[in-house]
Amino acid sequence: MVADKNNSREWAVTGMMTDLYQSQRAMRQMRRQAMQRGVVAILDVGSSKIACLVLRFDGTGRLSEDNSIGSMAGQTGFRVIGAATTRSRGVQFGEVTAMQETERAIRTALQAAQKMADIRVDHVIACFSGANPRSYGLDAQVELESQVVTEAEVGRVLNACEVPEYGAGREVLHAQPVNFALDNRSGLIDPRGQLGQSLAVDMHMLTVDAVAIQNIVHCIKRCDLELAGIANSAYVSGISALVEDEQELGAACIDMGGGTTSVSIFMKKHMIYADCVRMGGDHVTSDISMGLGVPAAVAERIKTFSGGVHATGADDRDLIDIGGDTGDWEHDRRTVSRAELIGIMRPRVEEILEEVRVRLDAAGFEHLPSQQIVLTGGASQVMGLDGLASRILGQRVRLGRPLRVHGLPQSATGPGFSSAVGLSLFAAHPQDEWWDFEIPVDRYPSRSLKRAVKWFRDNW
Amino acid sequence: MRQVKRRKLPVLFRQKPVAGPDAAFETGEAGAGGGMRLHGGERLKPPKRRADPAPSRLSYRFQRWMLTPGIRLGLRVGVPVCLVLALSSAFLASEARRDAVNDFVADLRASIQERPEFMVNLMAIDGAGGSLAEDIREVVPLDFPISSFDLDVEQIRDVITGLDPVKSASVRVRPDGILQIDVVERQPVVVWRTRDGIELLDETGAHVKDLPSRKLRSDLPLIAGRGADGHVPEALALIRTAQGLGERLRGLVRIGERRWDVVLDRKQRIMLPTERPIEALERVLAVSEVQDLLERDVAVVDMRLGSRPTIRMTETASEEWWRTRTTVGNGQ
């Protein structure tokens, strides 16, 4: 009875996985089509802004025949031909809360980017930050049928991973094999073609709320676009903000956005952990707005122009007009010293960083060989943030900007665009995911031709 | 405490909501017909305002549509082409307009072709005798002045070359408006007598002109017989060979369209073979040189069989010979 129940549960899980497998594969197929057409749009759906880049892929740009010039971190082969950004509407905490508004904001950004690119875009790759990402580490080990590791064997070992119960209403966003081990040799990046007895794999799986994905997919569908891929923005901003050796040796990328602060930890060029703090720059703004009694737009201006997190003696004498338009002379001539402003901002920034610290501790970040921390995202531009962060998170903190890619306009090179740029790199060179390998035959639905062939081969 | 500095923030200009007539002016909604009445009686239209910066679904779709390469090509090429086609066909639908266009084109053509630079005023004929020049003017009837676009020089040349006495001709339009015709006439070298009449032939056997009487060109040798005009070069070679005969040579006769007879006076004939007639004639002449063959009373020297040359004597000669033989015989 118990065994039967267990079996049925496994069946349910398998069915769900197959569905996911199919939809992710469909997106990969769509991405291949987009590559053939050569034009794809990158859409970063954030809480404070929606950025859209239009990429043109013109062949695999090998810089040299003899590999004397490296792959340029995978940024060759495409070019940004259109870029636009618009104020985000209807997105809170990185999740869509008002579909119509979000759809219109996406349309605005896309239309402007298309206009700049002067070409029609049909495929879009999107990223978003919220929806409660949760990381799982999976592993599996199989005995190899033959001595050689083939692609089918890799698929088999990936499918042998025991999928944890990640809950109903959740969806797997990424499932990347991060490490392969063959017999007692570990740390293999690509075991294919090697000889051995047993193959083990470590896989990182990231799940998010299914509803959030469905909302974004729906918004994009309503804009007459095909979704060619979807990614978590913690992951993609790590791709663009971390330099190659940081990704290799271990580093955390903290993308401080408007509504959320996402954390991703990279090791050996793979993301091994991602999480998200549901606080960001907008909360700092609303604190200022409430503390000073000014509208949010004014609070945002004050934060941008005179914000900071370290008060000095001079800041007491540095008075800022906060204005107003009530018609009351006294009210409209209010001033506030910069020290007061810092006094409002600092606790909130500290709170965010403390929260990030908790997530990093939970992930075991201190066990990594290198503990580089890179702050990026729009909210990381607060003056003096790196000093504050190094006191909370650890000594090795730097501010990160996105990688420079071909044709990116100067206005889109700030830290607020690291997830958009990272998504372009992801679009050009996606990492192998679970669904890029063939499902072994016994996982296929019944009446598959391969299954018949296998049966025939086994029995005759 | 003294202020060290005072930060000036860029001020957000947000208009206070206006009321009363100002509001009416702003919205333009005063009065019955909508829009505030202006001085001249016109009404002020309210300015259009965009509530939403986002494009509407329609304009978004329209823009995407206009960015599609096929549609852009269609608009850039297809629409102008269709427009031009439609306009031109609409214009040419009427008979009168079509005729007007044709007339206009014809006028334009004529005005270019009839410029004085292109006109040909007279025809100059070089290398032709008086009668031939007359003939040429007769067969090339041109009304001068004529445009050089209307002259078919090739055809004129063919017509002139088609004339019997003309060996070759070149026709060209000289820059000063003269149609220059250079003619090379055929030179008669032999007289050919047929049943129909007497003709003059040139060295290729081509007809030059008819001759009313042989006596008009007694300086030229005479040939006769059907098909003789096809072998004039051979006949000329035979005549050159027979120059030693001098005044005795009357002419050559083509026999059976196959071989030649040399006709001498005193009704003597030298019958030549089909093959190598010149050598045969040379043999006869050599024999005649040595043995005075042709001086004797010989009617025919038959060289048709090269291995058996034969002589036919005249009737009187053979009777004389028989009589002499008989006499001698009787005498014995």
Side-chain angles (χ1 to χ4, degrees):
Chain A
M1 188 62 194
V2 171
D4 194 47
K5 193 179 175 187
N6 199 8
N7 199 11
S8 70
R9 195 204 62 161
E10 199 177 298
W11 264 110
V13 168
T14 309
M16 195 166 66
M17 293 309 300
T18 313
D19 269 0
L20 168 85
Y21 211 94
Q22 300 305 339
S23 68
Q24 292 279 12
R25 286 209 144 189
M27 279 204 277
R28 278 293 153 94
Q29 184 63 34
M30 208 54 87
R31 179 187 163 272
R32 220 162 292 135
Q33 276 179 22
M35 292 287 149
Q36 275 172 6
R37 187 164 308 177
V39 179
V40 69
I42 294 299
L43 197 66
D44 172 22
V45 183
S47 318
S48 64
K49 70 159 180 9
I50 289 183
C52 178
L53 306 179
V54 178
L55 309 185
R56 171 184 287 148
F57 291 89
D58 28 19
T60 53
R62 289 193 73 84
L63 292 176
S64 65
E65 288 302 315
D66 55 349
N67 281 338
S68 59
I69 303 175
S71 64
M72 304 286 281
Q75 53 161 316
T76 54
F78 72 88
R79 185 183 172 85
V80 179
I81 55 171
T85 168
T86 184
R87 187 172 63 86
S88 178
R89 283 162 281 164
V91 182
Q92 284 178 356
F93 302 116
E95 297 157 22
V96 178
T97 52
M99 298 275 277
Q100 306 288 329
E101 289 291 307
T102 311
E103 183 204 327
R104 272 146 58 142
I106 290 176
R107 227 157 52 199
T108 313
L110 250 163
Q111 191 178 35
Q114 278 183 8
K115 201 168 183 176
M116 178 173 166
D118 203 18
I119 197 164
R120 179 186 164 139
V121 188
D122 286 326
H123 298 91
V124 70
I125 299 180
C127 75
F128 62 98
S129 62
N132 291 318
R134 211 170 294 157
S135 283
Y136 297 90
L138 316 181
D139 59 347
Q141 184 166 14
V142 292
E143 296 297 318
L144 294 178
E145 282 175 357
S146 59
Q147 297 280 305
V148 186
V149 181
T150 59
E151 198 138 331
E153 294 286 356
V154 175
R156 201 160 68 88
V157 70
L158 288 178
N159 272 289
C161 288
E162 193 181 334
V163 179
E165 189 91 46
Y166 50 73
R170 305 277 294 174
E171 190 90 65
V172 177
L173 191 59
H174 295 288
Q176 296 159 339
V178 289
N179 182 29
F180 287 99
L182 198 55
D183 295 342
N184 49 8
R185 290 183 297 136
S186 184
L188 303 178
I189 295 166
D190 186 359
R192 279 175 298 176
Q194 301 200 39
L195 300 178
Q197 297 298 329
S198 69
L199 179 68
V201 67
D202 295 318
M203 190 154 71
H204 171 238
M205 188 171 84
L206 189 75
T207 65
V208 292
D209 287 343
V211 181
I213 293 189
Q214 281 161 12
N215 287 346
I216 286 209
V217 168
H218 188 71
C219 282
I220 287 169
K221 282 273 182 298
R222 297 249 315 157
C223 294
D224 310 331
L225 296 164
E226 297 285 353
L227 194 63
I230 194 159
N232 187 309
S233 75
Y235 170 49
V236 291
S237 59
I239 293 178
S240 76
L242 300 184
V243 298
E244 213 161 340
D245 50 344
E246 286 171 346
Q247 286 182 19
E248 177 71 35
L249 298 174
C253 174
I254 295 166
D255 183 359
M256 306 181 72
T260 57
T261 297
S262 1
V263 182
S264 59
I265 299 178
F266 277 73
M267 176 82 187
K268 297 208 167 180
K269 297 196 177 159
H270 289 287
M271 178 174 67
I272 55 171
Y273 177 78
D275 206 341
C276 161
V277 178
R278 287 161 76 84
M279 271 186 288
D282 286 351
H283 296 83
V284 179
T285 306
S286 70
D287 284 353
I288 294 170
S289 165
M290 283 188 273
L292 301 181
V294 292
V298 177
E300 181 74 31
R301 298 176 78 76
I302 293 172
K303 181 184 85 171
T304 315
F305 280 105
S306 13
V309 288
H310 273 294
T312 60
D315 289 333
D316 285 333
R317 287 168 288 162
D318 186 1
L319 295 185
I320 305 161
D321 276 331
I322 57 176
D325 53 0
T326 57
D328 178 355
W329 199 88
E330 288 297 333
H331 185 268
D332 290 357
R333 293 294 174 277
R334 283 179 302 164
T335 55
V336 67
S337 75
R338 188 158 183 254
E340 284 175 85
L341 177 66
I342 289 171
I344 294 172
M345 288 175 68
R346 184 176 169 122
R348 178 63 84 167
V349 176
E350 274 179 350
E351 187 191 355
I352 294 173
L353 291 175
E354 294 285 357
E355 199 64 36
V356 168
R357 171 88 222 177
V358 169
R359 305 297 163 103
L360 288 180
D361 286 346
F365 182 61
E366 68 264 28
H367 302 301
L368 288 193
S370 155
Q371 290 166 26
Q372 181 74 46
I373 287 174
V374 178
L375 295 170
T376 184
S380 72
Q381 300 173 85
V382 181
M383 240 177 277
L385 180 72
D386 46 347
L388 183 62
S390 66
R391 282 171 52 185
I392 296 173
L393 298 175
Q395 284 303 310
R396 303 185 53 192
V397 172
R398 71 173 180 92
L399 294 176
R401 292 170 144 268
L403 216 65
R404 279 173 297 182
V405 295
H406 221 89
L408 192 70
Q410 179 65 36
S411 57
T413 52
F417 288 85
S418 52
S419 53
V421 173
L423 195 56
S424 339
L425 300 176
F426 170 79
H429 297 277
Q431 215 159 21
D432 278 346
E433 305 231 18
W434 188 359
W435 33 84
D436 290 324
F437 295 94
E438 287 295 321
I439 316 179
V441 174
D442 51 339
R443 282 267 179 141
Y444 263 117
S446 56
R447 284 190 296 283
S448 157
L449 187 67
K450 273 192 179 172
R451 197 167 175 179
V453 168
K454 186 175 189 297
W455 178 85
F456 196 80
R457 198 175 282 159
D458 289 349
N459 289 280
W460 294 86
Chain B
M1 190 168 65
R2 197 174 62 87
Q3 282 183 353
V4 182
K5 57 184 177 179
R6 193 179 166 89
R7 229 168 247 258
K8 278 281 182 192
L9 279 181
V11 182
L12 270 183
F13 284 103
R14 198 192 300 162
Q15 288 280 305
K16 288 175 197 164
V18 286
D22 289 341
F25 181 83
E26 187 135 310
T27 56
E29 279 166 359
M36 194 173 160
R37 188 177 296 279
L38 291 183
H39 208 62
E42 291 174 36
R43 286 190 180 273
L44 181 72
K45 291 281 175 288
K48 278 189 180 173
R49 286 186 189 186
R50 293 199 54 181
D52 189 3
S56 69
R57 262 180 102 71
L58 195 68
S59 79
Y60 173 75
R61 285 212 173 133
F62 178 71
Q63 194 217 17
R64 280 171 64 75
W65 202 59
M66 295 303 283
L67 284 174
T68 310
I71 300 218
R72 298 177 74 170
L73 187 74
L75 285 179
R76 209 176 58 233
V77 179
V79 168
V81 164
C82 289
L83 210 65
V84 166
L85 279 180
L87 283 180
S88 55
S89 55
F91 181 76
L92 294 178
S94 142
E95 180 79 38
R97 282 199 292 258
R98 217 155 47 221
D99 289 348
V101 168
N102 285 341
D103 288 351
F104 175 72
V105 171
D107 284 353
L108 199 65
R109 251 182 102 86
S111 72
I112 292 171
Q113 290 182 357
E114 287 171 4
R115 290 179 69 83
E117 290 86 347
F118 297 127
M119 296 308 280
V120 177
N121 294 314
L122 55 99
M123 175 157 70
I125 300 173
D126 283 354
S131 64
L132 180 57
E134 285 299 314
D135 289 348
I136 288 173
R137 283 183 198 284
E138 204 166 294
V139 297
V140 186
L142 294 175
D143 295 334
F144 293 109
I146 187 172
S147 168
S148 57
F149 284 95
D150 297 336
L151 283 177
D152 188 353
V153 176
E154 282 291 308
Q155 190 253 338
I156 293 173
R157 196 179 71 86
D158 288 347
V159 167
I160 292 172
T161 319
L163 290 177
D164 283 337
V166 177
K167 188 177 183 184
S168 68
S170 75
V171 179
R172 64 193 172 90
V173 176
R174 262 168 36 188
D176 45 359
I178 296 173
L179 183 65
Q180 175 73 42
I181 300 175
D182 291 322
V183 176
V184 178
E185 277 192 84
R186 293 187 192 281
Q187 295 301 321
V189 293
V190 66
V191 178
W192 182 36
R193 173 176 282 151
T194 60
R195 288 185 193 282
D196 302 331
I198 302 171
E199 296 174 14
L200 287 173
L201 302 181
D202 76 343
E203 65 275 6
T204 61
H207 174 84
V208 180
K209 63 179 178 181
D210 290 336
L211 208 61
S213 160
R214 162 80 174 109
K215 288 198 179 64
L216 290 178
R217 295 304 299 264
S218 55
D219 54 328
L220 296 181
L222 177 72
I223 59 174
R226 183 187 285 176
D229 55 340
H231 298 269
V232 172
E234 200 180 33
L236 289 176
L238 286 172
I239 288 164
R240 261 200 307 280
T241 312
Q243 261 173 350
L245 295 172
E247 286 295 310
R248 295 204 56 200
L249 179 69
R250 281 292 163 81
L252 301 180
V253 179
R254 189 77 177 164
I255 304 294
E257 297 188 39
R258 172 168 71 82
R259 59 176 198 85
W260 291 103
D261 269 9
V262 180
V263 180
L264 306 178
D265 57 356
R266 293 199 283 118
K267 295 194 175 177
Q268 277 185 342
R269 265 176 192 256
I270 304 171
M271 301 162 84
L272 297 177
T274 310
E275 302 289 327
R276 299 159 65 88
I278 293 170
E279 284 77 357
L281 182 59
E282 278 171 350
R283 269 178 79 189
V284 173
L285 292 180
V287 173
S288 171
E289 189 89 1
V290 177
Q291 309 243 336
D292 288 339
L293 173 65
L294 296 175
E295 302 301 321
R296 295 169 191 254
D297 208 358
V298 174
V300 171
V301 182
D302 187 350
M303 298 296 289
R304 287 177 297 184
L305 295 174
S307 55
R308 202 186 62 174
T310 313
I311 292 168
R312 191 201 306 159
M313 292 188 293
T314 56
E315 207 166 334
T316 49
S318 45
E319 277 175 8
E320 184 66 18
W321 186 54
W322 284 336
R323 195 177 54 78
T324 315
R325 272 188 63 187
T326 315
T327 311
V328 170
N330 289 346
Q332 284 177 347

